[in-house]
Amino acid sequence: GWQALIEKSRAKVEDLRGRVDLNSLISFFQMAMPRENWKPKGYFRYQRSVLIFEKPDKTCVIRLYEGMVYTYVEIFVTPASS
């Protein structure tokens, strides 16, 4: 699942798409990521929404946007800068 991808990645980009309501998807990540010990660092919502989370050793940026048919999610995970 998405959490296994985030946990094992060093510097990873994952693109996902599906027929999901954008607002419910944003709410999902806002609730699920802290349960997996990711600390919310910021977000913005507009035509493309961005959620930013951190752990001591990594940063995760999640971009979400709606297309004509699908909702798209891009997940970027990188080692935290020292």
Side-chain angles (χ1 to χ4, degrees):
W2 62 272
Q3 187 59 33
L5 163 79
I6 291 171
E7 288 302 322
K8 66 182 179 185
S9 66
R10 296 298 271 150
K12 181 73 175 174
V13 176
E14 184 70 21
D15 294 316
L16 308 166
R17 73 174 189 183
R19 293 184 179 179
V20 179
D21 175 67
L22 180 62
N23 290 324
S24 66
L25 194 57
I26 290 169
S27 294
F28 165 76
F29 281 113
Q30 288 177 324
M31 293 181 66
M33 294 294 281
R35 284 197 303 252
E36 299 296 331
N37 300 315
W38 287 92
K39 181 178 179 183
K41 294 303 286 183
Y43 72 94
F44 68 87
R45 294 174 74 166
Y46 189 58
Q47 292 175 340
R48 290 182 183 239
S49 297
V50 174
L51 306 172
I52 303 167
F53 297 92
E54 285 185 342
K55 282 190 173 183
D57 60 340
K58 340 182 169 172
T59 300
C60 178
V61 177
I62 303 173
R63 293 177 46 195
L64 308 101
Y65 60 97
E66 289 182 309
M68 292 296 290
V69 176
Y70 297 105
T71 299
Y72 296 86
V73 177
E74 301 169 336
I75 300 173
F76 304 83
V77 178
T78 60
S81 52
S82 48

Coordinates of all heavy atoms in Angstrom, one line a residue:
G1 N 0.8 -1.2 0.0 CA 0.0 0.0 0.0 C 0.9 1.2 0.0 O 2.1 1.2 -0.1
W2 N 0.2 2.4 0.1 CA 0.9 3.7 0.0 C 1.9 3.8 1.2 O 2.9 4.4 1.0 CB -0.1 4.8 0.0 CG -1.0 4.9 1.2 CD1 -2.2 4.3 1.4 CD2 -0.7 5.7 2.3 NE1 -2.6 4.7 2.6 CE2 -1.8 5.5 3.2 CE3 0.4 6.5 2.7 CZ2 -1.8 6.1 4.5 CZ3 0.3 7.1 4.0 CH2 -0.8 6.9 4.8
Q3 N 1.5 3.3 2.4 CA 2.4 3.5 3.5 C 3.7 2.7 3.3 O 4.8 3.2 3.7 CB 1.7 3.1 4.8 CG 2.6 3.5 6.0 CD 2.9 4.9 6.2 OE1 2.1 5.8 5.8 NE2 4.0 5.2 6.7
A4 N 3.6 1.5 2.8 CA 4.8 0.7 2.5 C 5.7 1.4 1.6 O 7.0 1.5 1.7 CB 4.5 -0.7 2.0
L5 N 5.2 2.0 0.5 CA 5.9 2.8 -0.4 C 6.7 3.9 0.2 O 7.8 4.2 0.0 CB 5.0 3.4 -1.5 CG 5.6 4.5 -2.3 CD1 6.5 3.9 -3.4 CD2 4.5 5.4 -2.9
I6 N 6.0 4.7 1.1 CA 6.6 5.8 1.8 C 7.7 5.4 2.7 O 8.8 6.0 2.8 CB 5.5 6.7 2.5 CG1 4.6 7.3 1.5 CG2 6.1 7.7 3.4 CD1 3.4 8.0 2.1
E7 N 7.4 4.3 3.5 CA 8.4 3.9 4.5 C 9.7 3.4 3.8 O 10.8 3.6 4.4 CB 7.8 2.8 5.3 CG 6.8 3.3 6.3 CD 7.3 4.3 7.2 OE1 8.5 4.2 7.7 OE2 6.6 5.3 7.5
K8 N 9.7 2.7 2.7 CA 10.9 2.1 2.2 C 11.6 2.9 1.2 O 12.7 2.6 0.7 CB 10.6 0.7 1.6 CG 9.7 0.7 0.4 CD 9.4 -0.7 -0.1 CE 8.5 -0.7 -1.3 NZ 8.1 -2.0 -1.7
S9 N 11.1 4.1 0.8 CA 11.7 4.9 -0.2 C 12.8 5.8 0.3 O 12.8 6.2 1.4 CB 10.6 5.7 -0.9 OG 10.1 6.7 0.0
R10 N 13.8 6.0 -0.6 CA 14.8 6.9 -0.3 C 14.5 8.3 -0.9 O 14.5 9.3 -0.2 CB 16.2 6.4 -0.8 CG 16.6 5.1 -0.2 CD 16.9 5.2 1.3 NE 18.2 5.6 1.6 CZ 18.5 6.3 2.7 NH1 17.6 6.7 3.5 NH2 19.7 6.6 3.0
A11 N 14.3 8.3 -2.2 CA 13.8 9.5 -2.9 C 12.8 8.9 -3.9 O 13.3 8.3 -4.9 CB 14.9 10.2 -3.5
K12 N 11.6 9.1 -3.8 CA 10.6 8.4 -4.6 C 9.5 9.3 -5.0 O 9.1 10.2 -4.3 CB 10.0 7.2 -3.7 CG 9.0 6.4 -4.4 CD 9.6 5.5 -5.4 CE 8.6 4.5 -6.0 NZ 9.1 3.7 -7.1
V13 N 9.1 9.0 -6.2 CA 7.9 9.7 -6.8 C 6.9 8.6 -7.2 O 7.2 7.7 -7.8 CB 8.2 10.6 -8.0 CG1 6.9 11.2 -8.5 CG2 9.2 11.7 -7.6
E14 N 5.7 8.8 -6.7 CA 4.6 7.8 -7.0 C 3.4 8.6 -7.6 O 3.0 9.5 -7.0 CB 4.2 7.0 -5.8 CG 3.2 5.9 -6.1 CD 3.8 4.7 -6.9 OE1 5.0 4.6 -6.9 OE2 3.0 4.0 -7.5
D15 N 2.9 8.2 -8.7 CA 1.7 8.8 -9.3 C 0.6 7.8 -9.2 O 0.7 6.6 -9.6 CB 2.0 9.1 -10.8 CG 3.0 10.2 -11.0 OD1 3.0 11.2 -10.2 OD2 3.9 10.0 -11.9
L16 N -0.6 8.3 -8.7 CA -1.7 7.4 -8.6 C -2.9 8.2 -9.1 O -2.9 9.4 -9.2 CB -2.0 7.1 -7.1 CG -0.8 6.6 -6.3 CD1 -1.1 6.7 -4.8 CD2 -0.6 5.2 -6.7
R17 N -3.9 7.4 -9.6 CA -5.1 8.1 -10.1 C -6.3 7.2 -9.7 O -6.2 6.0 -9.6 CB -5.1 8.4 -11.5 CG -5.2 7.2 -12.4 CD -5.4 7.5 -13.9 NE -5.7 6.3 -14.6 CZ -5.8 6.2 -15.8 NH1 -5.6 7.2 -16.6 NH2 -6.2 5.1 -16.4
G18 N -7.5 7.8 -9.6 CA -8.7 7.0 -9.3 C -9.9 7.9 -9.3 O -9.8 9.2 -9.4
R19 N -11.0 7.3 -9.2 CA -12.3 8.1 -9.2 C -12.7 8.3 -7.7 O -13.5 7.5 -7.2 CB -13.3 7.4 -9.9 CG -13.0 7.3 -11.4 CD -14.1 6.7 -12.2 NE -13.7 6.7 -13.6 CZ -14.4 6.2 -14.6 NH1 -15.6 5.6 -14.3 NH2 -14.0 6.3 -15.8
V20 N -12.1 9.3 -7.1 CA -12.3 9.6 -5.7 C -12.5 11.1 -5.5 O -11.9 11.9 -6.2 CB -11.0 9.2 -4.9 CG1 -11.2 9.5 -3.4 CG2 -10.7 7.7 -5.1
D21 N -13.4 11.4 -4.6 CA -13.6 12.9 -4.3 C -12.4 13.5 -3.7 O -11.8 12.9 -2.8 CB -14.8 13.0 -3.3 CG -15.0 14.4 -2.9 OD1 -15.4 15.2 -3.7 OD2 -14.8 14.7 -1.7
L22 N -11.9 14.6 -4.3 CA -10.7 15.3 -3.9 C -10.7 15.6 -2.4 O -9.8 15.3 -1.6 CB -10.5 16.5 -4.7 CG -9.2 17.3 -4.4 CD1 -7.9 16.4 -4.6 CD2 -9.1 18.6 -5.2
N23 N -11.8 16.2 -1.9 CA -11.9 16.6 -0.5 C -11.8 15.4 0.5 O -11.1 15.4 1.5 CB -13.2 17.4 -0.2 CG -13.1 18.7 -0.9 OD1 -12.1 19.4 -0.9 ND2 -14.3 19.2 -1.4
S24 N -12.4 14.2 0.1 CA -12.3 13.1 1.0 C -10.9 12.5 0.9 O -10.4 12.0 1.9 CB -13.4 12.0 0.6 OG -13.1 11.5 -0.7
L25 N -10.2 12.6 -0.2 CA -8.9 12.1 -0.3 C -7.9 13.0 0.6 O -7.0 12.4 1.3 CB -8.4 12.1 -1.7 CG -7.2 11.3 -2.1 CD1 -7.2 9.9 -1.7 CD2 -6.9 11.4 -3.6
I26 N -8.1 14.3 0.5 CA -7.3 15.2 1.4 C -7.5 14.8 2.8 O -6.6 14.7 3.6 CB -7.6 16.6 1.0 CG1 -7.1 17.0 -0.3 CG2 -7.0 17.6 2.1 CD1 -7.5 18.3 -0.9
S27 N -8.8 14.7 3.2 CA -9.1 14.3 4.6 C -8.5 13.0 5.0 O -8.0 12.9 6.1 CB -10.6 14.2 4.8 OG -11.2 15.5 4.6
F28 N -8.5 12.0 4.1 CA -7.9 10.7 4.4 C -6.4 10.9 4.7 O -5.9 10.4 5.7 CB -8.0 9.8 3.2 CG -7.1 8.6 3.3 CD1 -7.4 7.6 4.1 CD2 -5.9 8.6 2.5 CE1 -6.5 6.5 4.2 CE2 -5.0 7.5 2.6 CZ -5.4 6.4 3.5
F29 N -5.6 11.6 3.9 CA -4.2 11.8 4.1 C -4.0 12.6 5.4 O -3.1 12.3 6.2 CB -3.5 12.4 3.0 CG -3.2 11.5 1.9 CD1 -3.8 11.6 0.6 CD2 -2.3 10.5 2.0 CE1 -3.6 10.7 -0.4 CE2 -2.0 9.6 1.0 CZ -2.6 9.7 -0.2
Q30 N -4.8 13.6 5.7 CA -4.7 14.4 6.9 C -4.9 13.6 8.2 O -4.3 13.9 9.2 CB -5.6 15.6 6.9 CG -5.2 16.7 5.9 CD -6.1 17.9 5.8 OE1 -7.3 17.7 5.9 NE2 -5.6 19.0 5.6
M31 N -5.7 12.6 8.1 CA -5.9 11.7 9.2 C -5.0 10.5 9.3 O -4.5 10.2 10.4 CB -7.4 11.2 9.2 CG -8.4 12.3 9.4 SD -10.1 11.7 9.4 CE -10.1 10.7 10.9
A32 N -4.7 9.9 8.1 CA -3.9 8.7 8.1 C -2.4 9.0 8.4 O -1.7 8.2 9.0 CB -4.1 8.0 6.8
M33 N -1.8 10.0 7.8 CA -0.4 10.2 7.9 C 0.0 10.4 9.4 O 1.0 9.8 9.8 CB 0.0 11.4 7.0 CG -0.1 11.2 5.6 SD 1.0 9.9 4.9 CE 2.5 10.8 4.8
P34 N -0.6 11.2 10.2 CA -0.2 11.4 11.6 C -0.3 10.0 12.4 O 0.5 9.8 13.3 CB -1.2 12.4 12.2 CG -1.6 13.2 11.0 CD -1.6 12.3 9.9
R35 N -1.3 9.2 12.0 CA -1.4 7.9 12.7 C -0.1 7.0 12.4 O 0.2 6.1 13.1 CB -2.6 7.1 12.2 CG -3.9 7.7 12.8 CD -5.0 6.7 12.7 NE -5.3 6.4 11.3 CZ -6.4 6.8 10.6 NH1 -7.3 7.6 11.2 NH2 -6.5 6.4 9.4
E36 N 0.6 7.3 11.3 CA 1.8 6.6 10.9 C 3.0 7.4 11.3 O 4.1 7.2 10.8 CB 1.8 6.3 9.4 CG 0.6 5.5 8.9 CD 0.6 4.1 9.5 OE1 1.7 3.5 9.8 OE2 -0.4 3.5 9.7
N37 N 2.8 8.3 12.3 CA 3.9 9.1 12.9 C 4.5 10.2 11.9 O 5.7 10.5 12.1 CB 5.0 8.2 13.5 CG 4.5 7.3 14.5 OD1 3.7 7.8 15.4 ND2 4.8 6.1 14.5
W38 N 3.8 10.6 10.9 CA 4.2 11.7 10.1 C 3.6 13.0 10.7 O 2.4 13.1 11.0 CB 3.6 11.5 8.7 CG 4.3 10.5 7.9 CD1 4.0 9.2 7.8 CD2 5.5 10.7 7.1 NE1 4.9 8.5 6.9 CE2 5.8 9.4 6.5 CE3 6.3 11.8 6.8 CZ2 6.9 9.2 5.7 CZ3 7.4 11.6 6.0 CH2 7.7 10.3 5.4
K39 N 4.4 14.0 10.9 CA 4.0 15.3 11.5 C 3.6 16.2 10.4 O 4.4 16.5 9.4 CB 5.2 15.9 12.3 CG 4.8 17.1 13.0 CD 6.0 17.7 13.8 CE 5.5 19.0 14.4 NZ 6.6 19.6 15.2
P40 N 2.4 16.7 10.4 CA 1.9 17.7 9.4 C 2.8 19.0 9.5 O 3.0 19.5 10.6 CB 0.5 18.0 9.7 CG 0.1 17.1 10.8 CD 1.3 16.5 11.4
K41 N 3.3 19.5 8.4 CA 4.1 20.7 8.4 C 3.4 21.8 7.7 O 3.8 23.0 7.8 CB 5.5 20.4 7.7 CG 6.3 19.5 8.5 CD 6.5 19.9 10.0 CE 7.5 21.1 10.0 NZ 7.8 21.5 11.4
G42 N 2.5 21.5 6.8 CA 1.8 22.6 6.1 C 1.0 22.1 4.9 O 1.1 20.9 4.6
Y43 N 0.1 22.9 4.4 CA -0.7 22.5 3.3 C -1.3 23.8 2.6 O -1.3 24.8 3.2 CB -1.8 21.6 3.7 CG -3.0 22.2 4.4 CD1 -4.1 22.7 3.8 CD2 -2.9 22.3 5.8 CE1 -5.1 23.2 4.5 CE2 -3.9 22.9 6.5 CZ -5.0 23.4 5.8 OH -6.1 24.0 6.5
F44 N -1.7 23.6 1.4 CA -2.5 24.6 0.7 C -3.5 23.9 -0.2 O -3.2 22.8 -0.7 CB -1.8 25.8 0.1 CG -1.0 25.4 -1.1 CD1 -1.6 25.3 -2.4 CD2 0.4 25.0 -1.0 CE1 -0.8 25.0 -3.5 CE2 1.1 24.7 -2.1 CZ 0.5 24.6 -3.4
R45 N -4.6 24.6 -0.4 CA -5.7 24.0 -1.3 C -6.1 25.0 -2.3 O -6.4 26.1 -1.9 CB -6.9 23.5 -0.4 CG -6.5 22.4 0.5 CD -7.6 22.0 1.4 NE -8.7 21.3 0.7 CZ -9.6 20.7 1.2 NH1 -9.7 20.6 2.6 NH2 -10.5 20.1 0.5
Y46 N -6.0 24.7 -3.5 CA -6.4 25.5 -4.6 C -6.8 24.6 -5.8 O -7.3 23.5 -5.5 CB -5.3 26.5 -5.0 CG -5.8 27.6 -6.0 CD1 -6.9 28.4 -5.7 CD2 -5.1 27.8 -7.2 CE1 -7.3 29.4 -6.6 CE2 -5.6 28.7 -8.1 CZ -6.6 29.5 -7.8 OH -7.1 30.5 -8.7
Q47 N -6.4 24.9 -7.0 CA -6.7 24.0 -8.1 C -5.9 22.7 -7.9 O -6.3 21.6 -8.3 CB -6.4 24.6 -9.5 CG -7.4 25.7 -9.8 CD -7.0 26.5 -11.0 OE1 -5.9 26.4 -11.5 NE2 -8.0 27.1 -11.6
R48 N -4.7 22.8 -7.4 CA -3.8 21.7 -7.0 C -3.6 21.9 -5.5 O -3.1 22.9 -5.1 CB -2.5 21.7 -7.8 CG -2.7 21.3 -9.2 CD -1.4 21.2 -10.0 NE -1.7 21.0 -11.4 CZ -1.2 19.9 -12.0 NH1 -0.4 19.1 -11.4 NH2 -1.4 19.7 -13.3
S49 N -3.8 20.8 -4.8 CA -3.6 20.9 -3.3 C -2.3 20.2 -3.0 O -1.9 19.3 -3.7 CB -4.7 20.2 -2.6 OG -6.0 20.9 -2.8
V50 N -1.6 20.7 -1.9 CA -0.4 20.1 -1.5 C -0.4 19.9 0.0 O -0.8 20.8 0.8 CB 0.8 21.1 -1.8 CG1 2.1 20.5 -1.2 CG2 1.0 21.2 -3.3
L51 N 0.0 18.7 0.5 CA 0.1 18.4 1.9 C 1.6 18.1 2.1 O 2.2 17.3 1.4 CB -0.7 17.2 2.2 CG -2.2 17.3 1.9 CD1 -2.9 15.9 2.1 CD2 -2.9 18.3 2.7
I52 N 2.1 18.6 3.2 CA 3.6 18.3 3.5 C 3.6 17.7 4.9 O 3.0 18.2 5.9 CB 4.4 19.7 3.5 CG1 4.2 20.3 2.1 CG2 5.8 19.4 3.9 CD1 4.7 21.7 2.1
F53 N 4.4 16.6 5.0 CA 4.5 15.9 6.3 C 6.0 15.6 6.5 O 6.8 15.5 5.5 CB 3.8 14.5 6.2 CG 2.3 14.7 6.1 CD1 1.7 14.7 4.8 CD2 1.5 14.8 7.2 CE1 0.3 14.8 4.7 CE2 0.1 15.0 7.1 CZ -0.5 15.0 5.8
E54 N 6.4 15.4 7.7 CA 7.8 15.1 8.1 C 7.9 14.1 9.1 O 7.0 13.9 10.0 CB 8.5 16.4 8.6 CG 8.9 17.4 7.6 CD 9.7 18.5 8.1 OE1 9.7 18.7 9.4 OE2 10.3 19.2 7.3
K55 N 9.0 13.3 9.0 CA 9.5 12.5 10.1 C 10.9 12.9 10.3 O 11.5 13.7 9.5 CB 9.5 11.0 9.6 CG 8.1 10.3 9.7 CD 8.3 8.8 9.5 CE 6.9 8.2 9.7 NZ 7.0 6.7 9.6
P56 N 11.6 12.5 11.4 CA 12.9 13.0 11.6 C 13.9 12.8 10.5 O 14.8 13.6 10.2 CB 13.4 12.2 12.9 CG 12.1 11.9 13.6 CD 11.1 11.6 12.5
D57 N 13.7 11.7 9.7 CA 14.6 11.4 8.6 C 14.1 11.5 7.2 O 14.8 11.2 6.3 CB 15.2 10.0 8.8 CG 14.1 8.9 8.8 OD1 12.9 9.3 9.0 OD2 14.4 7.7 8.6
K58 N 12.8 12.0 7.1 CA 12.2 12.1 5.7 C 11.2 13.2 5.6 O 10.6 13.6 6.7 CB 11.5 10.9 5.2 CG 11.8 9.6 5.8 CD 11.1 8.5 5.2 CE 11.7 7.2 5.8 NZ 11.1 6.0 5.5
T59 N 11.0 13.7 4.4 CA 9.9 14.6 4.1 C 9.0 14.0 3.1 O 9.5 13.4 2.1 CB 10.5 16.0 3.6 OG1 11.4 16.5 4.7 CG2 9.4 17.0 3.3
C60 N 7.7 14.2 3.2 CA 6.8 13.7 2.2 C 5.9 14.9 1.7 O 5.3 15.6 2.6 CB 5.9 12.6 2.9 SG 4.6 12.0 1.8
V61 N 5.8 15.0 0.4 CA 5.0 16.0 -0.2 C 3.9 15.3 -1.0 O 4.3 14.5 -1.9 CB 5.8 17.0 -1.1 CG1 4.9 18.0 -1.7 CG2 6.8 17.7 -0.2
I62 N 2.7 15.6 -0.8 CA 1.6 14.9 -1.5 C 0.8 16.0 -2.3 O 0.3 17.0 -1.7 CB 0.6 14.2 -0.5 CG1 1.4 13.2 0.3 CG2 -0.5 13.6 -1.3 CD1 0.6 12.6 1.4
R63 N 0.8 15.9 -3.6 CA 0.1 16.8 -4.5 C -1.1 16.1 -5.0 O -1.1 15.0 -5.4 CB 1.0 17.2 -5.7 CG 2.2 18.0 -5.3 CD 3.0 18.4 -6.5 NE 2.3 18.8 -7.6 CZ 2.7 18.9 -8.8 NH1 4.0 18.6 -9.1 NH2 2.0 19.4 -9.8
L64 N -2.3 16.8 -4.9 CA -3.5 16.2 -5.4 C -4.2 17.2 -6.3 O -4.2 18.4 -6.0 CB -4.4 16.0 -4.1 CG -3.8 15.2 -3.0 CD1 -3.4 16.1 -1.9 CD2 -4.8 14.2 -2.5
Y65 N -4.9 16.7 -7.3 CA -5.6 17.5 -8.2 C -6.7 16.7 -9.0 O -6.5 15.5 -9.1 CB -4.7 18.3 -9.2 CG -3.9 17.5 -10.1 CD1 -4.3 17.2 -11.4 CD2 -2.7 17.0 -9.7 CE1 -3.5 16.4 -12.2 CE2 -1.9 16.2 -10.5 CZ -2.3 15.9 -11.8 OH -1.5 15.1 -12.6
E66 N -7.7 17.4 -9.5 CA -8.8 16.7 -10.2 C -8.6 17.0 -11.7 O -8.3 18.1 -12.1 CB -10.1 17.2 -9.7 CG -10.5 16.8 -8.4 CD -11.9 17.2 -7.9 OE1 -12.2 18.4 -8.1 OE2 -12.7 16.4 -7.5
G67 N -8.8 15.9 -12.5 CA -8.9 16.0 -13.9 C -10.3 15.9 -14.3 O -11.2 16.0 -13.5
M68 N -10.5 15.7 -15.6 CA -11.9 15.6 -16.1 C -12.6 14.3 -15.6 O -13.8 14.3 -15.3 CB -11.9 15.5 -17.6 CG -11.5 16.9 -18.3 SD -12.6 18.2 -17.9 CE -14.0 17.7 -18.9
V69 N -11.9 13.2 -15.5 CA -12.5 11.9 -15.1 C -11.9 11.5 -13.7 O -12.6 11.0 -12.9 CB -12.2 10.8 -16.1 CG1 -12.7 9.5 -15.7 CG2 -12.8 11.3 -17.5
Y70 N -10.6 11.6 -13.5 CA -9.9 11.1 -12.4 C -9.4 12.1 -11.4 O -9.2 13.3 -11.8 CB -8.7 10.2 -12.8 CG -9.0 9.0 -13.6 CD1 -8.8 9.0 -15.0 CD2 -9.6 7.9 -13.1 CE1 -9.1 7.9 -15.8 CE2 -9.9 6.8 -13.8 CZ -9.7 6.8 -15.2 OH -10.0 5.7 -15.9
T71 N -9.2 11.7 -10.2 CA -8.4 12.5 -9.2 C -7.0 11.9 -9.2 O -6.8 10.7 -9.2 CB -9.1 12.4 -7.8 OG1 -10.4 12.9 -7.9 CG2 -8.3 13.2 -6.8
Y72 N -6.0 12.8 -9.2 CA -4.6 12.4 -9.3 C -3.9 12.7 -8.0 O -4.2 13.7 -7.4 CB -3.9 13.1 -10.4 CG -4.5 12.7 -11.8 CD1 -5.6 13.4 -12.3 CD2 -3.9 11.7 -12.5 CE1 -6.1 13.1 -13.5 CE2 -4.5 11.3 -13.8 CZ -5.6 12.0 -14.3 OH -6.1 11.7 -15.5
V73 N -3.0 11.8 -7.6 CA -2.2 12.0 -6.4 C -0.7 11.7 -6.8 O -0.4 10.7 -7.4 CB -2.6 11.0 -5.3 CG1 -1.6 11.2 -4.1 CG2 -4.0 11.2 -4.9
E74 N 0.2 12.6 -6.4 CA 1.6 12.5 -6.6 C 2.2 12.5 -5.2 O 2.0 13.5 -4.5 CB 2.2 13.6 -7.5 CG 1.6 13.6 -8.9 CD 2.0 14.9 -9.7 OE1 2.3 15.9 -9.0 OE2 1.9 14.8 -10.9
I75 N 3.0 11.5 -4.9 CA 3.6 11.4 -3.6 C 5.1 11.5 -3.8 O 5.7 10.6 -4.5 CB 3.2 10.1 -2.9 CG1 1.7 10.0 -2.7 CG2 3.9 10.0 -1.5 CD1 1.2 8.7 -2.1
F76 N 5.7 12.4 -3.2 CA 7.2 12.6 -3.2 C 7.8 12.4 -1.8 O 7.3 13.0 -0.9 CB 7.6 14.0 -3.6 CG 7.0 14.5 -4.9 CD1 5.7 15.0 -5.0 CD2 7.7 14.4 -6.1 CE1 5.1 15.4 -6.2 CE2 7.2 14.8 -7.3 CZ 5.9 15.3 -7.4
V77 N 8.7 11.5 -1.7 CA 9.4 11.3 -0.4 C 10.9 11.4 -0.6 O 11.4 10.8 -1.5 CB 9.0 9.9 0.2 CG1 9.7 9.6 1.5 CG2 7.5 9.7 0.3
T78 N 11.5 12.2 0.3 CA 13.0 12.4 0.2 C 13.6 12.3 1.6 O 12.9 12.6 2.6 CB 13.3 13.7 -0.4 OG1 12.8 14.8 0.4 CG2 12.8 13.8 -1.9
P79 N 14.8 11.9 1.7 CA 15.5 12.0 3.0 C 15.5 13.4 3.5 O 15.6 14.4 2.6 CB 16.9 11.5 2.7 CG 16.8 10.8 1.4 CD 15.7 11.4 0.6
A80 N 15.3 13.6 4.7 CA 15.4 15.0 5.3 C 16.7 15.6 5.1 O 17.7 14.9 5.2 CB 15.0 14.9 6.8
S81 N 16.7 16.9 4.8 CA 18.1 17.6 4.7 C 18.6 17.8 6.1 O 17.9 18.0 7.1 CB 17.9 18.9 4.0 OG 16.9 19.6 4.6
S82 N 19.9 17.7 6.2 CA 20.6 17.8 7.5 C 21.2 19.2 7.6 O 21.3 19.9 6.8 CB 21.6 16.7 7.7 OG 22.4 16.6 6.5

